[in-house]
Structure formats: structure tokens, C-alpha cells
Amino acid sequence: MPVAHFHIPIGSASAEQLAALLTDASAAYSRILDSPIERVRAFTVQYDPADIAVGGQLVADGGTAAPYFTATVLAGRPAHQRSELLAAFTDLVVEHLDVERSGVRGHIVEVAPENWGIGGMPASDARATEISLRAAP
């Protein structure tokens, strides 16, 4: 289920930088959530700099290119894993996109297992055993 989106301006990173970000983010996601890497999905979402404003200034007009990411996880993941994801993804954005740490923003999106599909089946059914083990004290 792990899905990450990195939102950035078009032209703010090379193909090599983006490839390294996606590859390293996938590995971090897998490690932090103790999830098989085959389940991880990572995407870049690129916007025209004229379509992004940071601090009220368009990036196209010299505004800061401040990346934003979302990390989707099934509800019930421990707080320490969610915090570790925020830190790891921020580190990777800073490292691979050469941006100021203070400008990076991130968001963890928790999805109820019955609202996430795996092969057309709710995750609550497809991963029932894993989810119940995670929820146990």
C-alpha cells in the first residue's frame, strides 16, 4: 500500500536526481514500514512553475521552489513509523533536490483498510492478518 508523491516544479531537478529520489524513497518506505518493496509506489508530480506559489510569490517569478510530499499509509501504523517517514522523506528531498530543509513540507495520509484497494479487493480483506497483527498491543 505505501504510496508517495513528491510535488515539485518542472525543471527544478534532473532526471538523475528524480530517479535517485524515487529509488531511495522506495527503499526507505519499505524499510520503515517493514513492507515488501514490491508494494511500494513512488511518483513525482511536476507542475509548471507558473502554477506554484510559495509565500505568495510564483515560483516562475523567482519564488522559492519548496517541495511538498505526501506519504499514504494504512491507518493503524504506529506514530513512530509516521514520524520516521516524515524525517526520511525530508532528508531525501533535501539531499536529492538540493533545497533548503526549512522549505520542505510533508503530509502523512492515513487510509482506512476498507477504503484501500489491492487488486480490486479492500485491504481489510486482502491483508486482514497483517492488519490485525499490527493493531495488537
Side-chain angles (χ1 to χ4, degrees), residues 41-133:
R41 308 292 187 266
F43 304 87
T44 56
V45 183
Q46 298 186 53
Y47 303 90
D48 187 299
D51 294 334
I52 304 171
V54 176
Q57 184 175 12
L58 293 177
V59 172
D61 293 338
T64 303
Y68 167 74
F69 64 84
T70 58
T72 306
V73 299
L74 284 181
R77 287 286 181 180
H80 72 88
Q81 286 182 335
R82 298 188 314 268
S83 293
E84 195 173 341
L85 275 176
L86 290 171
F89 282 3
T90 298
D91 290 346
L92 291 171
V93 167
V94 169
E95 174 187 347
H96 292 300
L97 303 183
D98 194 31
V99 296
E100 291 293 324
R101 175 175 300 281
S102 62
V104 179
R105 300 292 187 268
H107 179 204
I108 301 289
V109 178
E110 292 183 90
V111 177
E114 62 271 15
N115 293 330
W116 185 259
I118 300 172
M121 178 187 304
S124 56
D125 296 336
R127 304 266 192 267
T129 302
E130 291 176 37
I131 292 167
S132 66
L133 289 173

Coordinates of all heavy atoms in Angstrom, one line a residue, residues 41-133:
R41 N 4.9 2.3 -4.1 CA 4.8 3.1 -5.3 C 5.3 4.5 -5.0 O 4.9 5.0 -3.9 CB 3.3 3.2 -5.7 CG 2.6 1.8 -5.8 CD 3.1 1.0 -7.0 NE 2.3 -0.2 -7.3 CZ 2.6 -1.4 -6.8 NH1 3.6 -1.6 -6.0 NH2 1.8 -2.4 -7.1
A42 N 6.1 5.0 -5.8 CA 6.6 6.4 -5.6 C 6.5 7.2 -6.9 O 6.8 6.6 -8.0 CB 8.1 6.4 -5.1
F43 N 6.0 8.4 -6.9 CA 5.8 9.2 -8.0 C 6.3 10.6 -7.9 O 6.3 11.1 -6.7 CB 4.3 9.4 -8.3 CG 3.5 8.1 -8.4 CD1 3.0 7.4 -7.3 CD2 3.3 7.5 -9.7 CE1 2.3 6.2 -7.4 CE2 2.6 6.3 -9.8 CZ 2.1 5.7 -8.7
T44 N 6.8 11.2 -9.0 CA 6.9 12.7 -8.9 C 5.7 13.3 -9.6 O 5.2 12.7 -10.6 CB 8.2 13.1 -9.6 OG1 8.2 12.6 -11.0 CG2 9.5 12.6 -8.9
V45 N 5.3 14.4 -9.1 CA 4.2 15.1 -9.7 C 4.8 16.5 -10.0 O 5.2 17.2 -9.0 CB 3.0 15.2 -8.7 CG1 1.8 16.0 -9.4 CG2 2.6 13.9 -8.2
Q46 N 4.9 16.8 -11.2 CA 5.5 18.1 -11.6 C 4.6 19.1 -12.1 O 3.6 18.8 -12.8 CB 6.6 17.8 -12.6 CG 7.7 16.8 -12.1 CD 8.9 16.6 -13.0 OE1 9.4 17.6 -13.5 NE2 9.2 15.4 -13.3
Y47 N 4.8 20.3 -11.7 CA 3.9 21.5 -12.1 C 4.7 22.5 -12.8 O 5.9 22.8 -12.5 CB 3.3 22.1 -10.8 CG 2.6 21.1 -9.9 CD1 3.2 20.4 -8.9 CD2 1.2 20.9 -10.1 CE1 2.5 19.5 -8.1 CE2 0.5 20.0 -9.3 CZ 1.2 19.3 -8.3 OH 0.5 18.4 -7.5
D48 N 4.0 23.2 -13.6 CA 4.6 24.4 -14.3 C 4.9 25.4 -13.2 O 4.1 25.6 -12.3 CB 3.6 25.0 -15.3 CG 4.2 26.1 -16.1 OD1 4.6 27.2 -15.5 OD2 4.3 26.0 -17.3
P49 N 6.1 26.0 -13.1 CA 6.4 27.0 -12.1 C 5.4 28.1 -12.0 O 5.3 28.8 -10.9 CB 7.8 27.5 -12.5 CG 8.4 26.3 -13.3 CD 7.3 25.8 -14.0
A50 N 4.7 28.4 -13.1 CA 3.7 29.5 -13.0 C 2.4 29.0 -12.3 O 1.6 29.8 -11.9 CB 3.3 29.9 -14.4
D51 N 2.4 27.7 -11.9 CA 1.2 27.2 -11.2 C 1.5 26.9 -9.8 O 0.7 26.2 -9.1 CB 0.8 25.9 -11.9 CG 0.2 26.1 -13.3 OD1 -0.3 27.2 -13.6 OD2 0.3 25.1 -14.1
I52 N 2.7 27.4 -9.3 CA 3.0 27.2 -7.9 C 3.4 28.5 -7.2 O 4.2 29.3 -7.8 CB 4.3 26.3 -7.7 CG1 4.1 24.9 -8.4 CG2 4.7 26.1 -6.3 CD1 5.3 24.1 -8.6
A53 N 2.8 28.8 -6.1 CA 3.1 30.0 -5.3 C 3.6 29.5 -3.9 O 3.0 28.6 -3.3 CB 1.9 30.9 -5.1
V54 N 4.7 30.1 -3.5 CA 5.3 29.8 -2.2 C 5.4 31.2 -1.5 O 6.1 32.1 -2.0 CB 6.6 29.1 -2.3 CG1 7.2 28.9 -0.9 CG2 6.5 27.7 -3.0
G55 N 4.8 31.3 -0.3 CA 4.8 32.6 0.4 C 4.2 33.7 -0.4 O 4.6 34.8 -0.3
G56 N 3.2 33.4 -1.3 CA 2.6 34.4 -2.1 C 3.3 34.8 -3.3 O 2.8 35.7 -4.1
Q57 N 4.4 34.2 -3.6 CA 5.1 34.5 -4.9 C 5.2 33.3 -5.8 O 5.5 32.2 -5.3 CB 6.6 35.0 -4.5 CG 7.3 35.5 -5.7 CD 8.7 36.0 -5.4 OE1 9.2 35.9 -4.3 NE2 9.3 36.7 -6.4
L58 N 4.9 33.5 -7.0 CA 5.0 32.4 -8.0 C 6.5 32.0 -8.2 O 7.4 32.8 -8.2 CB 4.5 32.9 -9.4 CG 3.0 33.2 -9.5 CD1 2.6 33.7 -10.9 CD2 2.2 31.9 -9.1
V59 N 6.6 30.7 -8.3 CA 8.0 30.1 -8.5 C 8.5 30.7 -9.8 O 9.7 31.0 -9.9 CB 8.0 28.6 -8.4 CG1 9.3 28.0 -8.9 CG2 7.6 28.1 -7.0
A60 N 7.6 30.8 -10.8 CA 8.1 31.4 -12.1 C 8.6 32.8 -12.0 O 9.4 33.2 -12.9 CB 6.9 31.3 -13.1
D61 N 8.2 33.5 -11.0 CA 8.6 34.9 -10.8 C 9.7 35.0 -9.7 O 10.0 36.1 -9.2 CB 7.4 35.8 -10.4 CG 6.4 35.9 -11.5 OD1 6.8 35.7 -12.7 OD2 5.2 36.2 -11.2
G62 N 10.4 33.9 -9.5 CA 11.5 33.9 -8.5 C 11.2 33.4 -7.2 O 12.1 33.4 -6.3
G63 N 10.0 32.9 -7.0 CA 9.7 32.3 -5.7 C 10.5 31.1 -5.4 O 11.0 30.4 -6.4
T64 N 10.6 30.7 -4.2 CA 11.3 29.5 -3.8 C 10.7 28.2 -4.2 O 9.5 28.1 -4.0 CB 11.5 29.5 -2.3 OG1 12.1 30.7 -1.9 CG2 12.3 28.3 -1.8
A65 N 11.4 27.4 -4.8 CA 10.9 26.0 -5.2 C 10.9 25.2 -3.9 O 12.0 24.7 -3.5 CB 11.7 25.4 -6.3
A66 N 9.8 25.1 -3.2 CA 9.7 24.4 -1.9 C 8.9 23.1 -2.1 O 7.7 23.1 -2.1 CB 9.1 25.3 -0.9
P67 N 9.6 22.0 -2.2 CA 8.9 20.7 -2.5 C 7.9 20.3 -1.4 O 8.1 20.7 -0.2 CB 10.0 19.7 -2.6 CG 11.2 20.5 -2.9 CD 11.0 21.8 -2.2
Y68 N 6.9 19.6 -1.8 CA 5.9 19.0 -0.8 C 5.7 17.6 -1.2 O 5.8 17.2 -2.3 CB 4.6 19.8 -1.1 CG 3.4 19.1 -0.5 CD1 3.1 19.2 0.9 CD2 2.4 18.5 -1.2 CE1 2.0 18.6 1.5 CE2 1.3 17.9 -0.7 CZ 1.1 18.0 0.7 OH 0.0 17.4 1.3
F69 N 5.6 16.7 -0.1 CA 5.3 15.3 -0.4 C 4.2 14.8 0.4 O 3.8 15.4 1.5 CB 6.6 14.5 -0.1 CG 7.0 14.5 1.3 CD1 6.5 13.6 2.3 CD2 8.0 15.3 1.8 CE1 6.9 13.6 3.6 CE2 8.4 15.3 3.1 CZ 7.8 14.5 4.0
T70 N 3.6 13.8 -0.1 CA 2.5 13.0 0.6 C 3.0 11.6 0.7 O 3.6 11.0 -0.2 CB 1.1 13.1 0.0 OG1 1.2 12.6 -1.4 CG2 0.6 14.5 -0.1
A71 N 2.7 11.0 1.9 CA 3.0 9.6 2.1 C 1.7 8.9 2.6 O 1.2 9.3 3.6 CB 4.1 9.4 3.1
T72 N 1.2 8.0 1.8 CA -0.1 7.3 2.1 C 0.3 6.0 2.8 O 1.1 5.2 2.3 CB -0.9 7.1 0.9 OG1 -1.1 8.3 0.2 CG2 -2.2 6.5 1.2
V73 N -0.4 5.8 4.0 CA -0.2 4.5 4.7 C -1.6 4.1 5.2 O -2.5 4.8 5.4 CB 0.7 4.7 6.0 CG1 2.1 5.2 5.5 CG2 0.1 5.7 7.0
L74 N -1.7 2.8 5.5 CA -2.9 2.2 6.0 C -3.0 2.7 7.5 O -2.0 2.8 8.2 CB -2.9 0.7 6.0 CG -3.2 0.0 4.7 CD1 -3.2 -1.5 4.9 CD2 -4.5 0.5 4.1
A75 N -4.2 3.1 7.9 CA -4.5 3.5 9.2 C -4.1 2.4 10.2 O -4.2 1.3 9.9 CB -6.0 3.9 9.4
G76 N -3.5 2.9 11.3 CA -3.1 1.9 12.3 C -1.6 1.8 12.4 O -1.0 1.2 13.3
R77 N -0.9 2.4 11.5 CA 0.6 2.4 11.6 C 1.0 3.2 12.8 O 0.5 4.3 13.1 CB 1.2 3.1 10.3 CG 1.2 2.2 9.1 CD 2.1 1.1 9.2 NE 2.1 0.3 8.0 CZ 2.9 -0.8 7.8 NH1 3.7 -1.1 8.7 NH2 2.8 -1.5 6.7
P78 N 2.0 2.8 13.5 CA 2.4 3.5 14.7 C 3.0 4.9 14.4 O 3.5 5.1 13.4 CB 3.6 2.6 15.3 CG 3.4 1.3 14.6 CD 2.8 1.5 13.3
A79 N 2.8 5.8 15.4 CA 3.2 7.1 15.3 C 4.7 7.2 15.0 O 5.2 8.1 14.2 CB 2.9 7.9 16.5
H80 N 5.5 6.3 15.6 CA 7.0 6.4 15.3 C 7.3 6.1 13.9 O 8.3 6.7 13.3 CB 7.8 5.5 16.3 CG 7.6 4.0 16.0 ND1 8.5 3.4 15.1 CD2 6.8 3.1 16.5 CE1 8.1 2.1 15.1 NE2 7.1 1.9 15.9
Q81 N 6.6 5.2 13.2 CA 6.8 5.0 11.8 C 6.4 6.2 10.9 O 7.1 6.6 10.0 CB 6.0 3.8 11.3 CG 6.5 2.4 11.7 CD 5.7 1.3 11.2 OE1 4.6 1.4 10.9 NE2 6.4 0.1 11.1
R82 N 5.3 6.8 11.3 CA 4.9 8.0 10.5 C 5.9 9.1 10.7 O 6.3 9.8 9.7 CB 3.5 8.4 10.9 CG 2.4 7.3 10.6 CD 1.0 7.8 10.8 NE 0.7 8.4 12.1 CZ 0.3 7.9 13.2 NH1 0.2 6.5 13.3 NH2 0.1 8.6 14.3
S83 N 6.4 9.3 11.9 CA 7.4 10.3 12.1 C 8.7 10.1 11.4 O 9.3 11.0 10.8 CB 7.7 10.5 13.6 OG 6.6 11.0 14.3
E84 N 9.1 8.8 11.4 CA 10.3 8.4 10.7 C 10.2 8.6 9.2 O 11.1 9.0 8.5 CB 10.6 6.9 11.0 CG 12.0 6.6 10.6 CD 12.4 5.2 11.0 OE1 11.8 4.6 11.9 OE2 13.4 4.6 10.5
L85 N 9.0 8.4 8.6 CA 8.7 8.7 7.2 C 8.9 10.1 6.9 O 9.5 10.5 5.9 CB 7.3 8.2 6.8 CG 7.1 6.8 6.4 CD1 5.7 6.5 6.1 CD2 8.0 6.4 5.2
L86 N 8.3 11.0 7.8 CA 8.4 12.4 7.5 C 9.9 12.9 7.5 O 10.3 13.6 6.7 CB 7.6 13.2 8.6 CG 6.1 13.1 8.6 CD1 5.5 13.7 9.8 CD2 5.5 13.8 7.3
A87 N 10.6 12.4 8.5 CA 12.0 12.7 8.6 C 12.8 12.2 7.4 O 13.6 12.9 6.8 CB 12.6 12.2 9.9
A88 N 12.6 10.9 7.0 CA 13.4 10.3 6.0 C 13.1 11.0 4.6 O 14.0 11.2 3.8 CB 13.1 8.8 5.9
F89 N 11.8 11.2 4.3 CA 11.5 11.8 3.1 C 12.0 13.2 3.0 O 12.4 13.7 1.9 CB 9.9 11.8 2.8 CG 9.4 10.4 2.4 CD1 10.3 9.3 2.2 CD2 8.1 10.3 2.0 CE1 9.8 8.1 1.8 CE2 7.6 9.0 1.6 CZ 8.5 7.9 1.5
T90 N 11.9 14.0 4.1 CA 12.5 15.3 4.1 C 14.0 15.2 3.8 O 14.5 16.0 3.0 CB 12.2 16.0 5.4 OG1 10.8 16.1 5.6 CG2 12.9 17.4 5.5
D91 N 14.7 14.3 4.5 CA 16.1 14.2 4.2 C 16.4 13.9 2.8 O 17.4 14.4 2.2 CB 16.7 13.0 5.1 CG 16.8 13.3 6.6 OD1 16.6 14.5 7.0 OD2 16.9 12.4 7.3
L92 N 15.6 13.0 2.2 CA 15.9 12.6 0.8 C 15.6 13.8 -0.2 O 16.3 14.0 -1.2 CB 15.0 11.4 0.4 CG 15.4 10.1 1.1 CD1 14.4 9.0 0.8 CD2 16.8 9.7 0.6
V93 N 14.5 14.5 0.1 CA 14.2 15.7 -0.8 C 15.4 16.7 -0.7 O 15.8 17.2 -1.7 CB 12.9 16.4 -0.3 CG1 12.7 17.7 -1.0 CG2 11.7 15.4 -0.7
V94 N 15.9 17.0 0.5 CA 17.0 17.9 0.7 C 18.2 17.4 0.0 O 18.9 18.1 -0.7 CB 17.3 18.2 2.2 CG1 18.6 18.9 2.4 CG2 16.1 18.9 2.8
E95 N 18.5 16.1 0.2 CA 19.7 15.5 -0.4 C 19.7 15.5 -1.9 O 20.6 15.9 -2.6 CB 19.9 14.1 0.1 CG 21.0 13.3 -0.6 CD 21.1 11.9 -0.2 OE1 20.4 11.5 0.8 OE2 21.8 11.1 -0.8
H96 N 18.6 15.0 -2.5 CA 18.5 14.8 -3.9 C 18.1 16.0 -4.8 O 18.4 16.1 -5.9 CB 17.6 13.6 -4.3 CG 18.1 12.3 -3.8 ND1 19.4 11.8 -4.3 CD2 17.7 11.4 -2.9 CE1 19.6 10.7 -3.7 NE2 18.6 10.4 -2.9
L97 N 17.3 16.9 -4.1 CA 16.8 18.1 -4.9 C 17.5 19.4 -4.5 O 17.2 20.4 -5.1 CB 15.3 18.2 -4.7 CG 14.4 17.0 -5.1 CD1 13.0 17.3 -4.9 CD2 14.8 16.5 -6.5
D98 N 18.5 19.3 -3.6 CA 19.3 20.4 -3.2 C 18.4 21.6 -2.8 O 18.6 22.7 -3.4 CB 20.3 20.7 -4.3 CG 21.4 21.7 -3.8 OD1 21.8 21.6 -2.7 OD2 21.9 22.5 -4.7
V99 N 17.5 21.4 -1.9 CA 16.7 22.5 -1.4 C 16.9 22.7 0.1 O 17.4 21.9 0.8 CB 15.2 22.2 -1.7 CG1 14.9 22.1 -3.2 CG2 14.7 21.0 -1.0
E100 N 16.4 23.9 0.6 CA 16.5 24.2 2.0 C 15.6 23.3 2.8 O 14.4 23.2 2.5 CB 16.2 25.6 2.2 CG 17.3 26.6 1.7 CD 18.6 26.5 2.5 OE1 18.6 26.2 3.7 OE2 19.7 26.6 1.8
R101 N 16.0 22.7 3.8 CA 15.2 21.8 4.7 C 14.0 22.6 5.2 O 12.9 22.1 5.3 CB 16.0 21.3 5.9 CG 15.3 20.5 6.9 CD 16.2 19.9 8.0 NE 17.2 19.1 7.4 CZ 17.0 17.8 7.0 NH1 15.8 17.3 7.2 NH2 17.9 17.1 6.5
S102 N 14.2 23.8 5.6 CA 13.1 24.6 6.2 C 11.9 24.8 5.2 O 10.8 25.1 5.7 CB 13.6 26.0 6.7 OG 14.1 26.7 5.6
G103 N 12.1 24.7 3.9 CA 11.1 24.9 3.0 C 10.3 23.6 2.6 O 9.3 23.7 2.0
V104 N 10.8 22.5 3.0 CA 10.2 21.2 2.7 C 9.0 20.9 3.6 O 9.0 21.1 4.8 CB 11.2 20.0 2.8 CG1 10.5 18.7 2.4 CG2 12.4 20.2 1.9
R105 N 7.9 20.5 3.0 CA 6.7 20.2 3.7 C 6.2 18.8 3.3 O 6.5 18.3 2.2 CB 5.5 21.2 3.4 CG 5.8 22.6 3.7 CD 5.9 22.8 5.2 NE 6.0 24.2 5.6 CZ 7.1 24.9 5.8 NH1 8.3 24.3 5.6 NH2 7.1 26.1 6.1
G106 N 5.6 18.1 4.3 CA 5.2 16.7 4.0 C 3.9 16.4 4.8 O 3.6 17.1 5.8
H107 N 3.2 15.4 4.3 CA 1.9 15.1 4.9 C 1.7 13.6 4.8 O 1.9 12.9 3.8 CB 0.8 15.7 4.0 CG -0.6 15.5 4.4 ND1 -1.6 15.6 3.5 CD2 -1.2 15.1 5.5 CE1 -2.7 15.3 4.1 NE2 -2.5 15.0 5.3
I108 N 1.4 13.0 6.0 CA 1.1 11.6 6.0 C -0.4 11.5 5.9 O -1.2 12.1 6.6 CB 1.5 10.9 7.4 CG1 3.0 11.1 7.6 CG2 1.0 9.5 7.5 CD1 3.9 10.2 6.8
V109 N -0.9 10.6 5.0 CA -2.3 10.4 4.8 C -2.6 9.0 5.2 O -2.1 8.0 4.6 CB -2.7 10.6 3.3 CG1 -4.1 10.3 3.0 CG2 -2.3 11.9 2.8
E110 N -3.4 8.8 6.2 CA -3.8 7.5 6.7 C -5.1 7.1 6.1 O -6.1 7.9 6.1 CB -4.0 7.5 8.2 CG -2.7 7.7 9.0 CD -2.9 7.6 10.5 OE1 -2.8 6.5 11.0 OE2 -3.2 8.7 11.1
V111 N -5.2 5.9 5.5 CA -6.4 5.5 4.8 C -6.9 4.2 5.5 O -6.1 3.3 5.8 CB -6.0 5.1 3.3 CG1 -7.2 4.5 2.6 CG2 -5.5 6.3 2.6
A112 N -8.2 4.2 5.8 CA -8.8 3.0 6.5 C -8.6 1.8 5.5 O -8.8 2.0 4.3 CB -10.2 3.3 6.7
P113 N -8.3 0.7 6.1 CA -8.0 -0.5 5.2 C -9.2 -0.9 4.3 O -9.0 -1.4 3.2 CB -7.8 -1.6 6.3 CG -7.2 -0.9 7.4 CD -8.0 0.4 7.5
E114 N -10.4 -0.6 4.8 CA -11.6 -0.9 3.9 C -11.7 0.1 2.8 O -12.5 -0.2 1.8 CB -12.9 -0.9 4.8 CG -13.3 0.4 5.4 CD -12.6 0.6 6.8 OE1 -11.7 -0.2 7.2 OE2 -13.1 1.4 7.5
N115 N -11.0 1.2 2.8 CA -11.0 2.2 1.7 C -9.8 2.1 0.8 O -9.6 3.0 0.0 CB -11.1 3.6 2.3 CG -12.5 3.8 3.0 OD1 -13.5 3.2 2.7 ND2 -12.5 4.6 4.0
W116 N -9.0 1.1 0.9 CA -7.8 1.0 0.0 C -7.9 -0.3 -0.7 O -8.2 -1.4 -0.1 CB -6.5 1.0 0.9 CG -5.3 1.0 0.0 CD1 -4.5 -0.1 -0.3 CD2 -4.8 2.1 -0.8 NE1 -3.5 0.3 -1.2 CE2 -3.7 1.6 -1.5 CE3 -5.1 3.4 -0.9 CZ2 -2.9 2.4 -2.3 CZ3 -4.4 4.2 -1.7 CH2 -3.3 3.7 -2.4
G117 N -7.8 -0.3 -2.1 CA -7.9 -1.5 -2.9 C -6.6 -2.1 -3.2 O -5.6 -1.4 -3.6
I118 N -6.6 -3.4 -3.1 CA -5.4 -4.2 -3.6 C -5.9 -5.2 -4.5 O -6.7 -6.2 -4.1 CB -4.7 -4.9 -2.4 CG1 -4.2 -3.8 -1.4 CG2 -3.6 -5.8 -2.9 CD1 -3.7 -4.4 -0.1
G119 N -5.7 -5.1 -5.8 CA -6.2 -6.0 -6.8 C -7.7 -6.1 -6.9 O -8.2 -7.1 -7.1
G120 N -8.3 -4.9 -6.6 CA -9.8 -4.9 -6.6 C -10.5 -5.3 -5.3 O -11.7 -5.4 -5.3
M121 N -9.7 -5.6 -4.3 CA -10.2 -6.1 -3.0 C -9.8 -5.1 -1.9 O -8.7 -4.6 -1.9 CB -9.7 -7.5 -2.7 CG -10.2 -8.1 -1.4 SD -9.4 -9.6 -1.0 CE -9.7 -10.6 -2.4
P122 N -10.7 -4.8 -1.0 CA -10.3 -3.9 0.1 C -9.1 -4.5 0.9 O -9.0 -5.7 1.1 CB -11.5 -3.9 1.0 CG -12.7 -4.3 0.1 CD -12.1 -5.2 -0.9
A123 N -8.2 -3.7 1.3 CA -7.0 -4.1 2.0 C -7.4 -4.8 3.3 O -6.7 -5.7 3.8 CB -6.1 -3.0 2.3
S124 N -8.6 -4.4 3.9 CA -9.1 -5.0 5.1 C -9.3 -6.5 4.9 O -9.1 -7.3 5.8 CB -10.3 -4.3 5.6 OG -11.3 -4.3 4.6
D125 N -9.6 -6.9 3.7 CA -9.8 -8.3 3.4 C -8.4 -9.0 2.9 O -8.1 -10.0 3.4 CB -10.8 -8.5 2.3 CG -12.2 -8.1 2.7 OD1 -12.5 -8.1 3.9 OD2 -13.0 -7.8 1.8
A126 N -7.8 -8.3 2.0 CA -6.5 -8.8 1.4 C -5.4 -8.9 2.4 O -4.6 -9.9 2.3 CB -6.1 -7.9 0.2
R127 N -5.3 -8.0 3.4 CA -4.2 -8.0 4.3 C -4.8 -8.2 5.8 O -4.2 -7.7 6.7 CB -3.4 -6.8 4.2 CG -2.9 -6.5 2.8 CD -1.5 -7.0 2.7 NE -0.9 -6.5 1.5 CZ -0.9 -7.1 0.3 NH1 -1.5 -8.3 0.2 NH2 -0.3 -6.6 -0.8
A128 N -5.9 -8.9 6.0 CA -6.5 -9.0 7.3 C -5.5 -9.4 8.4 O -5.5 -8.9 9.5 CB -7.7 -9.9 7.2
T129 N -4.7 -10.5 8.1 CA -3.8 -11.0 9.1 C -2.8 -9.9 9.5 O -2.5 -9.7 10.7 CB -3.2 -12.3 8.6 OG1 -4.2 -13.2 8.3 CG2 -2.2 -12.8 9.7
E130 N -2.2 -9.3 8.5 CA -1.2 -8.3 8.8 C -1.7 -7.1 9.6 O -1.1 -6.6 10.5 CB -0.6 -7.7 7.4 CG 0.3 -8.7 6.7 CD 0.7 -8.1 5.3 OE1 1.0 -6.9 5.3 OE2 0.7 -8.8 4.3
I131 N -2.9 -6.7 9.2 CA -3.5 -5.5 9.8 C -3.9 -5.9 11.3 O -3.6 -5.1 12.2 CB -4.8 -5.1 9.1 CG1 -4.4 -4.5 7.7 CG2 -5.6 -4.1 9.9 CD1 -5.5 -4.3 6.7
S132 N -4.4 -7.1 11.5 CA -4.7 -7.4 12.9 C -3.5 -7.6 13.8 O -3.5 -7.2 14.9 CB -5.6 -8.7 12.9 OG -4.8 -9.8 12.5
L133 N -2.4 -8.1 13.2 CA -1.1 -8.2 14.0 C -0.6 -6.8 14.3 O -0.1 -6.6 15.4 CB -0.1 -9.0 13.2 CG -0.4 -10.5 13.1 CD1 0.7 -11.1 12.1 CD2 -0.3 -11.2 14.4

